[in-house]
Amino acid sequence: MKKVGIIRCRQTEDLCPGTTDLICASEGKSAFAELGPCTVIGFVSCGGCPGKQAAARAKVLKDRGAEAIFLASCIGKGSPMGFPCPNAEKMLETVRKAVEGVPVYDHTH
């Protein structure tokens, strides 16, 4: 089973417990389908707008064994608020640089 880390939007923490992210990971569904069932070793926030802590937190996840990093769908798709993060692309770019060699996905479900 692959070990993965998930970075979520801090603004959605009060609205979403991350249940769908965790179910999709454990069952290997949606964005996790190509990896199969996964073990989530960390579920952290981006640190708040504009997401400057995402890269550092991704690096910690990698250092602790994550074999892939996922930006939760609340960041790229705006689930459940319907408002995608305006910094999603920059966050994705900086996370990919921080964890070079580890795949980074732009959504979870």
Side-chain angles (χ1 to χ4, degrees), residues 6-10 12-13 16-18 43-47 72 74-75:
I6 300 174
I7 300 173
R8 69 180 303 166
C9 168
R10 191 165 109 189
T12 63
E13 286 180 336
C16 177
F43 191 76
V44 298
S45 82
C46 64
C74 50
I75 293 173

Side-chain angles (χ1 to χ4, degrees), residues 1-74:
M1 216 182 262
K2 289 273 189 187
K3 296 176 185 174
V4 301
I6 300 174
I7 300 173
R8 69 180 303 166
C9 168
R10 191 165 109 189
Q11 297 292 325
T12 63
E13 286 180 336
D14 293 337
L15 302 171
C16 177
T19 308
T20 304
D21 302 302
L22 298 171
I23 290 170
C24 287
S26 69
E27 295 179 357
K29 294 182 177 176
S30 198
F32 301 90
E34 72 180 62
L35 301 177
C38 297
T39 298
V40 176
I41 64 160
F43 191 76
V44 298
S45 82
C46 64
C49 298
K52 289 184 179 181
Q53 295 300 317
R57 291 176 181 188
K59 183 158 180 3
V60 169
L61 291 167
K62 176 185 174 184
D63 292 346
R64 295 192 182 187
E67 299 168 280
I69 304 291
F70 288 79
L71 297 188
S73 292
C74 50

